Amino acid sequence: MTGEGIIRGETGAQRLLGYTLDVGQGDGRARCHLRVGPEHTNRHGMLHGGIVATILDNAMGATGSLTRDPEGRHPFLTISLNTQYLAPAREGEALVAVGRITGGGRKLLFIEGELRAEDDRLVATATGVFKPVSQPAKEGVA
Protein backbone atom coordinates (compact mmCIF):
# COMPACT_ATOMS: atom_id res chain seq x y z
CA MET A 1 0.00 0.00 0.00
CA THR A 2 1.54 3.26 -1.14
CA GLY A 3 0.33 6.69 -2.04
CA GLU A 4 -0.96 9.91 -0.64
CA GLY A 5 -2.68 9.68 2.71
CA ILE A 6 -0.82 6.51 3.78
CA ILE A 7 0.75 6.78 7.24
CA ARG A 8 3.37 4.21 8.29
CA GLY A 9 5.58 3.99 11.37
CA GLU A 10 4.41 7.30 12.84
CA THR A 11 3.80 6.11 16.40
CA GLY A 12 5.41 3.55 18.66
CA ALA A 13 2.24 1.44 18.62
CA GLN A 14 2.12 1.56 14.83
CA ARG A 15 5.76 0.46 14.55
CA LEU A 16 5.28 -2.29 17.13
CA LEU A 17 2.10 -3.77 15.62
CA GLY A 18 2.89 -3.05 11.97
CA TYR A 19 -0.45 -1.58 10.90
CA THR A 20 -0.88 1.04 8.18
CA LEU A 21 -3.23 4.01 8.42
CA ASP A 22 -4.99 5.28 5.28
CA VAL A 23 -6.46 8.78 5.60
CA GLY A 24 -6.44 9.60 1.89
CA GLN A 25 -9.67 8.16 0.50
CA GLY A 26 -11.47 11.52 0.47
CA ASP A 27 -14.63 10.21 2.15
CA GLY A 28 -13.83 11.39 5.69
CA ARG A 29 -13.22 7.83 6.88
CA ALA A 30 -9.84 6.56 8.01
CA ARG A 31 -8.84 2.95 7.47
CA CYS A 32 -6.42 0.89 9.52
CA HIS A 33 -4.87 -2.11 7.71
CA LEU A 34 -3.20 -5.09 9.36
CA ARG A 35 -2.09 -8.48 8.10
CA VAL A 36 -2.32 -10.85 11.07
CA GLY A 37 1.04 -12.36 11.92
CA PRO A 38 2.07 -14.81 14.64
CA GLU A 39 3.01 -11.83 16.84
CA HIS A 40 -0.66 -10.73 16.83
CA THR A 41 -2.24 -13.98 18.03
CA ASN A 42 -3.38 -15.17 21.44
CA ARG A 43 -2.80 -18.60 22.98
CA HIS A 44 -5.59 -20.02 20.78
CA GLY A 45 -3.90 -18.92 17.55
CA MET A 46 -6.48 -16.19 16.86
CA LEU A 47 -6.01 -12.43 16.66
CA HIS A 48 -5.71 -11.05 20.21
CA GLY A 49 -8.72 -8.99 21.32
CA GLY A 50 -6.52 -6.14 22.55
CA ILE A 51 -5.10 -5.74 19.06
CA VAL A 52 -8.63 -5.76 17.61
CA ALA A 53 -9.50 -2.87 19.93
CA THR A 54 -6.27 -1.04 19.06
CA ILE A 55 -6.89 -1.26 15.31
CA LEU A 56 -10.48 -0.05 15.71
CA ASP A 57 -9.37 2.76 18.05
CA ASN A 58 -6.81 3.96 15.50
CA ALA A 59 -9.25 3.96 12.57
CA MET A 60 -11.87 5.75 14.65
CA GLY A 61 -9.49 8.34 16.13
CA ALA A 62 -8.01 9.11 12.71
CA THR A 63 -11.55 9.48 11.33
CA GLY A 64 -12.12 12.14 14.00
CA SER A 65 -8.82 13.75 13.05
CA LEU A 66 -9.98 14.12 9.46
CA THR A 67 -12.68 16.54 10.69
CA ARG A 68 -9.91 18.94 11.78
CA ASP A 69 -7.05 18.16 9.41
CA PRO A 70 -7.25 16.80 5.83
CA GLU A 71 -3.98 14.91 6.47
CA GLY A 72 -5.51 13.10 9.46
CA ARG A 73 -2.83 14.12 11.95
CA HIS A 74 -4.74 16.36 14.37
CA PRO A 75 -4.48 14.58 17.76
CA PHE A 76 -7.62 13.09 19.31
CA LEU A 77 -8.08 11.42 22.70
CA THR A 78 -10.23 8.34 23.20
CA ILE A 79 -12.75 9.08 25.96
CA SER A 80 -14.50 5.71 25.74
CA LEU A 81 -14.32 2.66 23.50
CA ASN A 82 -16.75 -0.26 23.51
CA THR A 83 -15.77 -3.25 21.38
CA GLN A 84 -17.94 -6.15 20.27
CA TYR A 85 -16.08 -9.27 19.11
CA LEU A 86 -18.08 -11.15 16.46
CA ALA A 87 -15.76 -13.57 14.63
CA PRO A 88 -12.16 -14.77 14.93
CA ALA A 89 -9.35 -13.62 12.66
CA ARG A 90 -6.48 -15.97 11.94
CA GLU A 91 -2.83 -15.63 11.07
CA GLY A 92 -2.33 -14.56 7.45
CA GLU A 93 -5.63 -12.72 7.12
CA ALA A 94 -5.66 -9.12 5.91
CA LEU A 95 -7.95 -6.90 8.00
CA VAL A 96 -9.32 -3.40 7.55
CA ALA A 97 -10.90 -1.26 10.27
CA VAL A 98 -12.98 1.74 9.12
CA GLY A 99 -14.34 4.60 11.22
CA ARG A 100 -17.60 6.52 10.69
CA ILE A 101 -18.77 9.61 12.57
CA THR A 102 -22.30 9.24 13.93
CA GLY A 103 -22.68 12.47 15.91
CA GLY A 104 -21.15 15.02 18.18
CA GLY A 105 -19.95 18.56 17.80
CA ARG A 106 -16.94 20.77 18.45
CA LYS A 107 -15.87 19.21 21.77
CA LEU A 108 -16.74 15.51 21.36
CA LEU A 109 -17.35 13.16 18.43
CA PHE A 110 -19.26 9.87 18.46
CA ILE A 111 -17.65 7.40 16.09
CA GLU A 112 -18.43 3.82 15.06
CA GLY A 113 -15.93 1.34 13.69
CA GLU A 114 -16.02 -1.95 11.82
CA LEU A 115 -13.21 -4.46 11.44
CA ARG A 116 -13.55 -6.75 8.44
CA ALA A 117 -11.48 -9.56 6.97
CA GLU A 118 -10.62 -9.63 3.27
CA ASP A 119 -13.58 -11.98 2.62
CA ASP A 120 -15.84 -9.19 4.02
CA ARG A 121 -16.50 -11.17 7.22
CA LEU A 122 -17.31 -8.81 10.10
CA VAL A 123 -14.74 -9.53 12.82
CA ALA A 124 -15.64 -6.79 15.31
CA THR A 125 -17.46 -3.50 15.76
CA ALA A 126 -16.89 -0.63 18.16
CA THR A 127 -18.44 2.60 19.33
CA GLY A 128 -16.51 5.38 20.95
CA VAL A 129 -16.35 8.96 22.12
CA PHE A 130 -13.38 11.01 20.97
CA LYS A 131 -12.12 14.47 21.92
CA PRO A 132 -9.85 16.73 19.86
CA VAL A 133 -6.69 17.89 21.61
CA SER A 134 -6.38 21.66 21.82
CA GLN A 135 -3.51 22.91 19.71
CA PRO A 136 -1.47 25.85 20.99
CA ALA A 137 -1.69 28.99 18.86
CA LYS A 138 1.18 29.35 16.41
CA GLU A 139 3.46 32.32 16.90
CA GLY A 140 2.48 35.28 14.76
CA VAL A 141 -1.02 33.91 14.12
CA ALA A 142 -3.96 35.65 15.74
Side-chain angles (χ1 to χ4, degrees):
M1 174 178 307
T2 60
E4 228 173 285
I6 302 301
I7 301 172
R8 285 191 172 86
E10 185 173 77
T11 67
Q14 191 177 29
R15 289 186 297 275
L16 180 67
L17 295 176
Y19 62 83
T20 302
L21 199 55
D22 180 356
V23 294
Q25 296 300 309
D27 60 0
R29 294 178 171 199
R31 289 150 177 88
C32 191
H33 297 266
L34 177 75
R35 180 157 306 270
V36 180
E39 67 275 18
H40 303 122
T41 59
N42 60 21
R43 67 177 70 181
H44 309 291
M46 305 297 171
L47 178 63
H48 191 283
I51 295 174
V52 168
T54 300
I55 294 168
L56 283 161
D57 182 50
N58 275 274
M60 295 162 69
T63 295
S65 183
L66 286 168
T67 67
R68 304 292 198 280
D69 171 16
E71 293 182 5
R73 286 188 158 88
H74 185 98
F76 264 70
L77 299 174
T78 305
I79 303 301
S80 71
L81 183 70
N82 296 299
T83 307
Q84 297 75 44
Y85 301 92
L86 305 171
R90 293 173 175 79
E91 186 176 336
E93 289 190 293
L95 305 175
V96 179
V98 181
R100 183 175 69 87
I101 296 171
T102 59
R106 287 185 314 115
K107 297 193 180 221
L108 294 175
L109 289 178
F110 302 98
I111 304 175
E112 291 181 345
E114 285 189 348
L115 178 64
R116 291 188 177 270
E118 54 199 330
D119 63 2
D120 205 38
R121 175 173 26 92
L122 187 59
V123 173
T125 61
T127 57
V129 180
F130 294 81
K131 178 181 179 175
V133 174
S134 298
Q135 299 283 72
K138 294 181 182 175
E139 287 187 39
V141 178

